[in-house]
Structures are given as structure tokens and as C-alpha cells.
Amino acid sequence: MMHSVFEPAPADADGVFAVRRPIFDMSREAIEAVLQPDDPGGLSLGFRAAIAVRIAAMSGVGQAATWFNARLEAAGNAEAYRQIADGALPDDGNASVQACVHYVDLVTRTPEAATRALIGKLSSAGLADADIVRLAELVACVHYAVRLSAGVAMMGAGA
């Protein structure tokens, strides 16, 4: 029986989860920490979850997108971020949000194109240095989770 990377493995987990349970548990804790940090700074919990949904959907990992979407719904203001989660560019004129979404899309689709100039655009759009770091951390952790989820699914399919 396969279990989800995004949910705690039961004590009697089998296969890949039985051997690697501590890794999956720590990974899930890291994911939760970037989605719901004690200090979200200028990146609200809803925005963070919407970015996570966007990345998972762009990556084609449905299980991850579903899990992140549940976090978006739990944030309480899902409709405010639905456009971002659904893959659209927000049209609200908020330069910092648009710069963040551009950053996320570029790093997800063509990570080799991410340069220092891209970080400069985030700063020019009004993001504080700490929020740029928070965004990069979020994007990196979500990409890790999405790839881990896809890998576990492949291992389960071959079992």
C-alpha cells in the first residue's frame, strides 16, 4: 500500500515509507513550516498556498496540487488568491505580486534563466530583502515536495 508524502505515514507503513519514514516526516514538517511560518513577513499564508498550488499544477503533480489547494482553502481567503493558484497572472495592478508570480513561473519552467537580475526585479517591485528570501525558500521547498511526491508515486507504481 502506498502512502502520501504529504500525510503522516501510519506506524505500520510498508514499502518505501517504512524504510524512509523519518525523511518523509521531516520533509512534511519543512513544507508545513514554509507554508505556515510563525512570521510570514509580507507573504501571507493564502499567497504562499496559492504559489504552492501553482507550482504543483505547472509541474503536473496532481496529488501535490490537491494537497496544497486544501491548504489554500484552509487559509480562509482562497478566493483572493484563486487567480494565482489557477495559473493566471493577477490583474490587480499590484507590482510586487506580479513580480512574485513572474519569478515563480520562470523558476518553475526555466530555472536556468533565473539570474541576479530577476532578484533585482523583485526588489524594484517593492519586496523587502527578507520577503525575497522567504519567496525563494517557499519556491525551493515546494519544488522539492513536488519532486519527492512524484518520485514516491513512481516507486509505488513500480512496486
Side-chain angles (χ1 to χ4, degrees), residues 8-156:
D12 64 346
D14 56 358
V16 68
F17 276 89
V19 176
R20 296 179 179 93
R21 180 182 176 150
I23 293 169
F24 294 130
D25 288 345
M26 287 184 285
S27 295
R28 192 183 58 264
E29 289 169 9
I31 296 161
E32 292 285 0
V34 298
L35 286 176
Q36 298 181 323
D38 292 336
D39 178 10
L43 307 179
S44 73
L45 302 183
F47 180 76
R48 288 167 179 266
I51 291 296
V53 173
R54 185 182 189 96
I55 291 169
M58 288 172 63
S59 301
V61 181
Q63 178 191 39
T66 298
W67 191 85
F68 287 126
N69 194 61
R71 298 311 179 271
L72 175 58
E73 293 297 328
N77 55 351
E79 286 312 308
Y81 299 105
R82 181 57 52 201
Q83 199 175 22
I84 294 169
D86 289 346
L89 183 62
D91 57 5
D92 62 0
N94 184 324
S96 63
V97 168
Q98 290 177 353
C100 287
V101 170
H102 175 70
Y103 171 84
V104 167
D105 289 355
L106 187 90
V107 170
T108 301
R109 290 187 182 126
T110 53
E112 67 277 5
T115 64
R116 182 171 290 198
L118 183 61
I119 301 301
K121 289 180 183 180
L122 291 169
S123 183
S124 294
L127 263 75
D129 289 348
D131 287 333
I132 293 170
V133 171
R134 287 179 181 107
L135 179 63
E137 177 184 59
L138 172 66
V139 170
C141 192
V142 171
H143 279 127
Y144 164 76
V146 166
R147 283 168 178 74
L148 181 62
S149 178
V152 168
M154 288 174 59
M155 292 167 72

